[in-house]
Amino acid sequence: DTGVSQNPRHKITKRGQNVTFRCDPISEHNRLYWYRQTLGQGPEFLTYFQNEAQLEKSRLLSDRFSAERPKGSFSTLEIQRTEQGDSAMYLCASSQQGDPTPLHFGNGTRLTVT
Amino acid sequence: QQQVKQSPQSLIVQKGGIPIINCAYENTAFDYFPWYQQFPGKGPALLIAIRPDVSEKKEGRFTISFNKSAKQFSLHIMDSQPGDSATYFCAASVTGNTPLVFGKGTRLSVIA
């Protein structure tokens, strides 16, 4: 069990650019979640997958955000036309199917939009 | 609308003290209540969790107290240590239905 891996750890981009983050979950976990965390706040749910199916999307996930999980393994989160308000820590978590099961979080990707 | 309200925002205790962090919720359908611990630069990690069929759960120095009628639950850390200094988040979900919703966090500092 190598844990949830997220890359890159840090990303600085200019407003209007597109960015993509990657998450590799714990291998036997079939559920994968994306959360966003801003300074002084708790993680806010964005979306989650069970295997390759995207089961739920938060209203926070605007049209500029898209997430994929091809083949039910790693996942990518893309933000198009970034805005300064997108600056945050993007956290990925995975869990086994079954409820409730603990979420295992990665260490996040910190995005700074200048 | 914040689904889980956490207090206090920050807390400073002496080593050996018993910090208490409180959370309140409105959705009576919630049936899973975990607490997560987060250190700077790291993702949150599960500390302890409780279901509403029990009023208290203890794991090591960490205890959750749950009051279903008041829709409140709290985390107690016994014999707190400087290594417990971190941000703590309560969370809640409806089993099999919704992803976890988190409180805003409590930043705990344990001073020697």
Side-chain angles (χ1 to χ4, degrees):
Chain A
D1 178 355
T2 57
V4 177
S5 176
Q6 291 189 248
N7 287 288
R9 289 298 313 277
H10 304 274
K11 179 71 176 178
I12 300 173
T13 191
K14 292 185 178 180
R15 188 178 55 182
Q17 297 295 304
N18 299 343
V19 294
T20 300
F21 310 140
R22 176 177 170 128
C23 172
D24 288 90
I26 293 172
S27 57
E28 63 267 27
H29 288 181
N30 65 348
R31 287 186 176 173
L32 186 148
Y33 302 78
W34 285 99
Y35 280 80
R36 182 174 70 187
Q37 185 176 26
T38 53
L39 197 62
Q41 301 293 316
E44 296 174 298
F45 169 73
L46 293 178
T47 187
Y48 91 98
F49 294 83
Q50 181 160 300
N51 299 313
E52 65 274 12
Q54 188 172 17
L55 296 188
E56 187 172 339
K57 292 194 290 187
S58 162
R59 287 176 293 177
L60 292 175
L61 211 66
S62 77
D63 291 344
R64 297 184 296 105
F65 288 68
S66 63
E68 294 183 343
R69 193 182 182 199
K71 302 179 182 178
S73 56
F74 70 92
S75 176
T76 58
L77 178 68
E78 180 183 16
I79 309 174
Q80 297 182 327
R81 304 181 302 282
T82 53
E83 302 173 356
Q84 286 189 322
D86 297 332
S87 296
M89 175 76 81
Y90 290 84
L91 292 165
C92 176
S94 68
S95 72
Q96 291 180 321
Q97 191 167 351
D99 293 295
T101 55
L103 297 187
H104 296 257
F105 282 89
N107 290 328
T109 293
R110 180 164 295 284
L111 173 66
T112 302
V113 182
T114 62
Chain B
Q1 180 184 5
Q2 190 179 355
Q3 297 196 56
V4 180
K5 293 185 179 181
Q6 183 173 346
S7 62
Q9 191 173 357
S10 63
L11 191 54
I12 301 174
V13 299
Q14 294 267 348
K15 177 183 173 182
I18 305 175
I20 301 173
I21 305 171
N22 301 298
C23 278
Y25 62 96
E26 289 297 323
N27 186 350
T28 55
F30 284 149
D31 61 358
Y32 175 63
F33 303 92
W35 284 89
Y36 279 77
Q37 179 189 55
Q38 185 176 30
F39 293 103
K42 301 291 188 181
L46 178 68
L47 199 57
I48 185 173
I50 197 168
R51 302 295 295 269
D53 52 343
V54 296
S55 60
E56 186 175 281
K57 183 174 181 180
K58 184 176 180 179
E59 287 184 3
R61 296 185 294 108
F62 301 93
T63 299
I64 298 180
S65 297
F66 185 81
N67 186 328
K68 188 173 181 179
S69 61
K71 292 185 287 186
Q72 294 176 349
F73 58 109
S74 59
L75 176 71
H76 303 233
I77 305 176
M78 306 302 175
D79 187 28
S80 58
Q81 301 296 315
D84 296 329
S85 297
T87 300
Y88 293 81
F89 296 96
C90 61
S93 70
V94 179
T95 299
N97 193 350
T98 63
L100 281 175
V101 291
F102 285 82
K104 290 190 173 184
T106 297
R107 187 170 181 175
L108 171 67
S109 297
V110 181
I111 54 178

